[in-house]
Amino acid sequence: MLIKSTKRSDESENQVTDETVFNSRRDVLKKLGFLGAGSLLGGSALANPLDWFKDERPPKFVQSELSFNVDTSTKQTLTPESQAINYNNFYEFGTSKSDPAKHAQSFKVNPWKLEVEGLVENPLTLDYDDLLTKFPLEERIYRLRCVEAWSMVIPWIGFSLSRLLKQAKPLSSAKYVAFETVYDPKQMRGQRSRFLGGGVDYPYIEGLRLDEAMHPLALMTVGMYGKTLPPQNGAPVRLTVPWKYGFKSIKSLVKIKLVDKMPPTSWNILIPSEYGFYANVNPKVAHPRWSQARERRIVGASVLDQKRIDTKMFNGYEEVTSLYTGMDLARYY
Ligand SMILES: Nc1nc2c(c(=O)[nH]1)N[C@H]1C(S)=C(S)[C@@H](COP(=O)(O)O)O[C@H]1N2
Ligand SMILES: [Mo]
């Protein structure tokens, strides 16, 4: 059963729904008979991503349609899909915005292995199919605000990271979560030289405090615009943390490790004065080289089709405020 969003008007910028709303929506869908056991993913919708090997045309990444619970509560102008998949940051495939779409098309996402390990009672290994079928998928329309001051509104598809962590059962000694992108220089040209990869020391690593990671907004993302992720957006699985700058939303994950100390993170290692561990969107804290007070929302079919708007604290996701009670967010940037 394929369920798709249709209504997306642009009147207002509502909050994205929280998990409670999604759960009640799921109940409604269940009552309507959309969500019987095992029906979240139609088997026939899962095309084989390796099919292009049999094709005579040059390798082109094939996406599959996904089934998901729809986010109908959010009314925002979506960024056109053509922008979201052609204007990217994914330094493993090059440093310019057009590089990932150009150089990631033959990236292999199946087979895949994601390990959840470290300070957990129940370590997990998920393969490609697990990522798409183990957890009910939900569509979440999230704004993603890049530290470079552009932003997009994207209909992501995935499941809360908290669901995965709960299944792994963090030990009481676990205080942080460390994330790691795949390291595969044969496939990722940016990992072959410091020049091509923008100076990042690969693999790309990120981290969250455990309570941040458990917040229902933190999304394990496997799709966008109704389909599995294209490689330039982090296939087969990435994180989307909408209240933080885009660089926290680490792509093409192979490892999630529960740890007791604040883990190192790629951008913080590279330029600690500019990129902190927290990286919460904050219009009042300027980047040392530019203001963060405003942003360019990419809304049209051309990158130049932009709307200049004020940036909101936590990118507008105020429900995370209590995570930072008593913290000086200018100091912990
Ligand atoms: N592994 C990895 N993850 C990454 C990046 C990267 O270079 N490598 N770039 C980050 C940055 S800076 C941004 S803004 C977002 C962009 O996500 P998008 O291209 O899907 O919009 O991905 C983030 N995740
Ligand atoms: Mo970014």
Side-chain angles (χ1 to χ4, degrees):
M1 182 84 220
L2 191 72
I3 309 157
K4 287 219 168 167
S5 306
T6 44
K7 264 186 283 162
R8 277 166 184 152
S9 63
D10 50 6
E11 274 75 59
S12 63
E13 290 246 329
N14 290 353
Q15 287 303 309
V16 164
T17 49
D18 60 20
E19 190 153 0
T20 329
V21 179
F22 273 106
N23 284 336
S24 57
R25 180 164 308 122
R26 179 172 306 124
D27 289 343
V28 171
L29 291 172
K30 216 180 245 161
K31 285 193 190 104
L32 291 171
F34 284 135
L35 301 176
S39 74
L40 278 156
L41 259 170
S44 59
L46 274 177
N48 182 355
L50 298 181
D51 272 348
W52 55 257
F53 277 123
K54 300 179 205 130
D55 211 298
E56 302 210 338
R57 289 169 296 151
K60 189 166 183 331
F61 193 80
V62 177
Q63 291 171 265
S64 313
E65 291 203 323
L66 288 174
S67 287
F68 48 85
N69 291 338
V70 181
D71 179 355
T72 50
S73 67
T74 318
K75 294 182 172 60
Q76 305 178 71
T77 305
L78 291 184
T79 296
E81 183 180 6
S82 61
Q83 290 295 329
I85 68 171
N86 284 300
Y87 189 84
N88 301 102
N89 270 337
F90 199 168
Y91 275 27
E92 284 87 338
F93 293 106
T95 56
S96 94
K97 301 285 175 279
S98 55
D99 277 338
K102 211 182 294 168
H103 298 296
Q105 291 311 307
S106 53
F107 183 62
K108 261 177 89 166
V109 303
N110 188 6
W112 194 264
K113 205 163 92 173
L114 169 65
E115 301 202 273
V116 186
E117 58 178 53
L119 301 173
V120 292
E121 206 180 304
N122 181 30
L124 302 168
T125 303
L126 304 185
D127 67 17
Y128 181 83
D129 289 336
D130 292 334
L131 292 168
L132 297 183
T133 57
K134 248 193 154 161
F135 302 89
L137 301 180
E138 303 166 2
E139 180 183 73
R140 307 269 189 97
I141 297 175
Y142 279 169
R143 303 177 287 278
L144 190 80
R145 168 61 158 82
C146 180
V147 74
E148 295 165 275
W150 46 269
S151 63
M152 298 190 183
V153 185
I154 295 177
W156 304 102
I157 300 165
F159 52 89
S160 289
L161 171 62
S162 65
R163 289 177 177 272
L164 178 64
L165 296 178
K166 277 177 200 157
Q167 210 168 86
K169 297 191 181 153
L171 300 174
S172 60
S173 50
K175 301 286 183 253
Y176 292 88
V177 188
F179 302 88
E180 194 174 307
T181 295
V182 67
Y183 181 71
D184 188 352
K186 281 208 180 89
Q187 292 203 80
M188 296 174 138
R189 67 204 308 267
Q191 293 178 336
R192 288 179 219 146
S193 82
R194 280 189 85 75
F195 172 71
L196 288 173
V200 173
D201 191 9
Y202 295 102
Y204 192 105
I205 48 176
E206 257 308 333
L208 294 172
R209 224 170 47 196
L210 182 57
D211 58 340
E212 297 180 309
M214 291 301 287
H215 195 282
L217 280 175
L219 191 72
M220 289 289 283
T221 306
V222 298
M224 62 198 291
Y225 298 93
K227 292 160 283 183
T228 49
L229 287 173
Q232 60 268 37
N233 293 89
V237 63
R238 64 166 309 161
L239 206 59
T240 313
V241 193
W243 71 95
K244 293 177 179 280
Y245 290 115
F247 67 88
K248 299 295 287 185
S249 292
I250 179 173
K251 295 176 171 179
S252 302
L253 285 168
V254 290
K255 201 196 280 183
I256 297 179
K257 188 172 182 179
L258 284 281
V259 295
D260 59 354
K261 294 194 180 62
M262 184 182 281
T265 60
S266 286
W267 283 99
N268 181 251
I269 292 170
L270 193 62
I271 321 178
S273 61
E274 299 186 0
Y275 308 106
F277 176 82
Y278 285 95
N280 290 316
V281 173
N282 190 341
K284 291 195 217 97
V285 176
H287 184 281
R289 291 185 279 140
W290 60 82
S291 163
Q292 294 289 10
R294 312 234 322 141
E295 66 198 64
R296 295 173 284 110
R297 176 68 49 82
I298 297 174
V299 288
S302 151
V303 185
L304 300 174
D305 224 339
Q306 299 171 346
K307 212 165 67 176
R308 288 190 58 87
I309 54 177
D310 289 339
T311 288
K312 292 185 183 145
M313 186 65 201
F314 299 122
N315 201 21
Y317 298 96
E318 283 158 4
E319 55 266 60
V320 302
T321 306
S322 62
L323 291 172
Y324 308 104
T325 309
M327 273 178 75
D328 176 356
L329 293 178
R331 179 162 175 223
Y332 298 102
Y333 57 88

